[in-house]
Amino acid sequence: MAVHTLRKPWAVPLVVLGLIVFIGIVITFDYIVLLFDPATDNAIDFEVPSFDKATGKYSTSNPQLIPKILHQTWKNETVPEQWKTAQASCLDLHPDFEYKLWTDASSRDFIEQEYPWFLETFDSYPFPIMRADAIRYFVLNHFGGIYIDLDEGCVSRLDPLLTYPAWVRKADPTGISNSVMGSTPHHPFFMRVMLELKNYDFQWGVPYITVMYATGPLFLSVIWKQFKRWAVTDSEQLWILMPAEPGASYFNDLHGSSWHEDDAKWIKYLGLHWLFFTIIGFMIAAVFGFTSYLVMRRIYYPRVAMKYKYLGQE
Ligand SMILES: *[C@@H]1O[C@H](CO)[C@@H](O)[C@H](O)[C@H]1NC(C)=O
């Protein structure tokens, strides 16, 4: 390092400060872009499938891509009374779909059999909801189909949703939700999600934040933002089911057990307090910068400092 650079007392703290700000932006970039999440380009419109009386089958204008499988999760085989109506509404509308209810036990067996590299992470999750989050990404990747939260009732046949290679539902007011999702097997988005789970397995001290960031909708939204930057072809796009219009919806949200309902609100809170956090950030940076300046001055101008000391003693 050139000596004359070091002699400028502000040079080193400035470079360090610049690096900290840069790294900070890189780390939080995907969370920041979520705050400015516009209505999405790949929106799915509501469509009523047509029913052919002759064949007794429903059809859509586009070919079916996603296999007719419904996935749901519960801790065991006993679905509680309050969710039975919702569960039945989906089953009754789709008698031609295969149905898989993933329990704690069958989920673990599945991971152990098919994705043993993930079993340790899966077992180490501190909250059962995290396993319930993870298993839905794995089964969608493995079998394809549509995952539906147990507190979501079905209002309409889902056939039109089978014509998109992969889709998730928009969360209000920002990001995407993991409450209802559909995919073809081995779609690049859910492959990515599955592989990234390990990288995001971090405990934040506060349970809610851990769940949200490690496996829940915030995690999914961040991977979605990253994926949007990589995805190239149409078949790789992730499609977004927008909030339902009255009378034009596939699902009927009973808002029951959903642990994740507040996630989007929390992101929104951060958004609303954006200015506040920015100002705090700049204040911390200013204090840091000024302190480093003092330290550097001390180091690189010892003579000056000593002279002051000397004069002070006089
Ligand atoms: C499932 O769990 C509930 C409560 O935890 C229990 O009452 C019920 O017997 C369990 N069902 C089965 C099939 O083990």
Side-chain angles (χ1 to χ4, degrees):
M1 209 181 293
V3 172
H4 66 269
T5 330
L6 286 179
R7 287 215 173 273
K8 296 191 178 106
W10 44 265
V12 173
L14 204 68
V15 168
V16 172
L17 191 65
L19 265 177
I20 290 178
V21 169
F22 178 73
I23 292 170
I25 290 176
V26 167
I27 291 174
T28 55
F29 184 76
D30 297 310
Y31 300 95
I32 294 172
V33 291
L34 270 182
L35 294 171
F36 307 98
D37 174 35
T40 159
D41 327 322
N42 299 335
I44 297 180
D45 293 324
F46 179 77
E47 183 193 336
V48 181
S50 50
F51 183 69
D52 184 345
K53 275 193 183 137
T55 60
K57 284 184 175 160
Y58 289 88
S59 64
T60 52
S61 37
N62 294 312
Q64 175 196 341
L65 301 174
I66 294 180
K68 291 183 169 178
I69 308 173
L70 291 183
H71 301 274
Q72 295 199 294
T73 60
W74 188 247
K75 61 180 167 183
N76 63 21
E77 309 277 348
T78 317
V79 172
E81 279 306 317
Q82 74 260 39
W83 309 134
K84 281 196 171 149
T85 318
Q87 183 196 29
S89 69
C90 292
L91 289 176
D92 292 350
L93 273 169
H94 304 96
D96 51 334
F97 279 47
E98 190 184 339
Y99 182 69
K100 290 178 188 284
L101 179 69
W102 295 95
T103 63
D104 287 357
S106 69
S107 299
R108 191 182 185 280
D109 285 350
F110 172 76
I111 295 291
E112 191 176 24
Q113 289 276 313
E114 303 292 342
Y115 301 92
W117 55 265
F118 189 69
L119 189 63
E120 197 187 330
T121 313
F122 189 76
D123 283 342
S124 74
Y125 282 142
F127 307 103
I129 181 73
M130 299 175 82
R131 279 181 280 279
D133 278 336
I135 191 67
R136 60 188 82 171
Y137 308 136
F138 278 89
V139 297
L140 280 183
N141 176 72
H142 196 83
F143 301 100
I146 295 181
Y147 167 83
I148 308 175
D149 262 359
L150 211 49
D151 59 347
E152 297 279 348
C154 295
V155 180
S156 171
R157 282 276 303 189
L158 302 176
D159 305 71
L161 293 176
L162 299 176
T163 66
Y164 298 88
W167 53 269
V168 292
R169 199 153 60 156
K170 185 91 180 68
D172 177 43
T174 185
I176 55 176
S177 151
N178 67 357
S179 58
V180 180
M181 307 178 282
S183 182
T184 48
H186 313 299
H187 185 277
F189 177 71
F190 285 102
M191 295 257 265
R192 190 85 225 168
V193 167
M194 201 177 78
L195 295 173
E196 292 285 359
L197 276 171
K198 259 186 126 147
N199 299 336
Y200 283 76
D201 178 24
F202 183 77
Q203 299 200 17
W204 293 81
V206 182
Y208 183 65
I209 295 182
T210 300
V211 174
M212 194 162 83
Y213 278 83
T215 59
L218 191 53
F219 158 75
L220 196 69
S221 299
V222 162
I223 304 300
W224 170 53
K225 285 291 174 191
Q226 294 172 1
F227 185 76
K228 267 172 88 154
R229 295 201 289 274
W230 301 318
V232 276
T233 66
D234 268 358
S235 68
E236 287 181 352
Q237 292 296 341
L238 182 68
W239 291 79
I240 310 291
L241 184 59
M242 300 303 278
E245 303 288 331
S249 74
Y250 293 103
F251 304 101
N252 172 15
D253 189 350
L254 301 182
H255 286 294
S257 64
S258 178
W259 168 284
H260 294 306
E261 248 165 52
D262 292 327
D263 283 21
K265 288 186 196 131
W266 200 78
I267 304 175
K268 188 76 176 174
Y269 167 85
L270 276 183
L272 289 175
H273 295 72
W274 182 240
L275 191 64
F276 172 76
F277 284 108
T278 308
I279 291 170
I280 294 279
F282 273 107
M283 278 165 61
I284 292 173
V287 169
F288 172 80
F290 188 65
T291 314
S292 339
Y293 170 77
L294 291 181
V295 171
M296 290 299 150
R297 199 175 69 169
R298 211 50 204 198
I299 294 172
Y300 294 112
Y301 290 96
R303 278 160 169 266
V304 181
M306 274 172 68
K307 194 175 165 197
Y308 282 140
K309 206 174 168 189
Y310 174 73
L311 287 174
Q313 276 171 355
E314 252 189 355

